[in-house]
Amino acid sequence: MQRASHHDLRAQFRALLASNSCYHTASVFDPMAARIAADLGFEVGILGGSVASLQVLAAPDFALITLSEFVEQATRIGRVSRLPVIADADHGYGNALNVMRTVVELERAGIAALTIEDTLLPAQFGRKSTDLISIDEGVGKIRAALEARVDPDLAIIARTHAGVLAVDEVIRRTQAYQAAGADAICIVGVEDFDHLEQISAALSIPLMLVTYGNPKLRDNERLASLGVRIVVNGHAAYFAAIKATYDCLREQRGAQSSDLSATELTHTYTQPEDYIVWAEEFMNVKE
């Protein structure tokens, strides 16, 4: 079976960023998924933080998974992967010093690139899950990530949320991360091509978009022309696996068929209501 070193896979990812094309990620949540994605010809994969939380903890995406748990899964994938894999490293599992530890561990795991976002995580009680840290703190995390990496081909990607900020603020943030040395900018919440054009015109490094299949952003050539090199449409493969597991086990038990969707099943079995109650009870601090 064809093999590639971690450094070679990082070089492959760098070549994608330097190209004039736009590539769509495969959701690779375990070693088998990574092998399947490579065999099908995907150029790049992504290990999502939300998917890792589901797979390791059967828990909702409330920043509950620890760095060590995430790294364990990344390491399993890194042992067999024949395509470069991006790690969704959330907020770096803490402050800038935690970010340095995160980079060290994910680099050892064989990851080709990782995203560090400026979301305020874990979310404080009663606050939106899309609250952002200050630009200065975000810049500090990117600088710390760059300092911590050993292989210069490991790509550090700064991530922010364009759906919760005015476009001028998005530009200000992303330009600051670019100036700090980020290798690319990952943006969530872009509404359409007009929105994207305003942001991309202010930047000179490659872009990565998390679109969740937004139909207003489905023109690959236009995306490429605006500097978008990587697109994350979501993690449909893992949710399909949840649905298939449920249907298979129901059939084995002789139960009647069910029309529950993968989203409904995920909500049922991650039990988010329990976490909401616990947050109310233990995190609602009165100052």
Side-chain angles (χ1 to χ4, degrees):
M1 180 177 291
Q2 179 186 358
R3 301 178 65 183
S5 72
H6 295 158
H7 178 77
D8 288 344
L9 292 174
R10 291 171 189 143
Q12 288 179 29
F13 184 75
R14 288 282 183 170
L16 299 183
L17 292 183
S19 74
N20 294 316
S21 300
C22 177
Y23 302 91
H24 293 253
T25 59
S27 181
V28 293
F29 45 85
D30 64 10
M32 185 68 76
R35 282 182 170 165
I36 291 170
D39 187 60
L40 291 175
F42 278 90
E43 295 85 2
V44 61
I46 186 166
L47 172 60
S50 60
V51 170
S53 183
L54 287 171
Q55 190 170 42
V56 175
L57 303 175
D61 189 19
F62 290 168
L64 298 171
I65 192 169
T66 64
L67 172 60
S68 59
E69 290 168 329
F70 186 73
V71 168
E72 284 175 5
Q73 195 65 359
T75 300
R76 294 184 185 104
I77 293 169
R79 287 192 191 111
V80 306
S81 185
R82 292 181 288 118
L83 81 168
V85 175
I86 305 165
D88 170 11
D90 287 339
H91 63 318
Y93 295 90
N95 60 28
L97 298 183
N98 298 114
V99 168
M100 297 182 79
R101 172 78 189 283
T102 297
V103 170
V104 168
E105 297 299 335
L106 288 174
E107 182 171 344
R108 288 176 178 170
I111 290 300
L114 58 92
T115 60
I116 299 291
E117 63 186 84
D118 56 9
T119 312
L120 179 63
L121 294 174
Q124 298 177 3
F125 180 77
R127 299 284 297 274
K128 295 179 180 178
S129 61
T130 51
D131 285 349
L132 305 183
I133 60 177
S134 70
I135 294 178
D136 286 345
E137 185 175 356
V139 165
K141 286 189 172 188
I142 298 306
R143 291 178 57 233
L146 295 169
E147 175 68 22
R149 72 179 174 190
V150 175
D151 185 347
D153 274 345
L154 175 69
I156 305 298
I157 304 172
R159 170 173 159 165
T160 196
H161 201 310
V164 298
L165 298 170
V167 68
D168 289 348
E169 177 65 10
V170 176
I171 291 170
R172 194 161 74 92
R173 279 182 177 262
T174 53
Q175 285 183 331
Y177 301 153
Q178 175 178 276
D183 298 301
I185 300 291
C186 176
I187 309 176
V188 183
V190 173
E191 298 171 0
D192 51 32
F193 276 107
D194 289 341
H195 194 193
L196 177 60
E197 285 175 354
Q198 293 178 71
I199 299 169
S200 66
L203 299 170
S204 59
I205 58 176
L207 299 181
M208 171 177 167
L209 292 189
V210 181
T211 68
Y212 301 113
N214 182 350
K216 297 180 180 178
L217 293 168
R218 284 186 179 167
D219 186 332
N220 237 38
E221 290 187 4
R222 192 171 179 188
L223 287 170
S225 72
L226 293 172
V228 177
R229 298 293 171 260
I230 307 294
V231 172
V232 181
N233 294 312
H235 301 284
Y238 185 67
F239 291 103
I242 292 174
K243 173 66 171 170
T245 299
Y246 180 78
D247 290 343
C248 180
L249 293 178
R250 283 185 66 89
E251 183 178 350
Q252 288 182 18
R253 288 295 293 174
Q256 293 182 348
S257 62
S258 169
D259 59 358
L260 287 174
S261 68
T263 300
E264 291 168 329
L265 289 169
T266 301
H267 184 88
T268 298
Y269 292 111
T270 57
Q271 303 171 340
E273 293 84 0
D274 288 346
Y275 291 93
I276 292 170
V277 170
W278 294 330
E280 172 78 36
E281 183 172 355
F282 306 127
M283 295 169 56
N284 189 9
V285 178
K286 304 291 193 302
E287 295 185 0

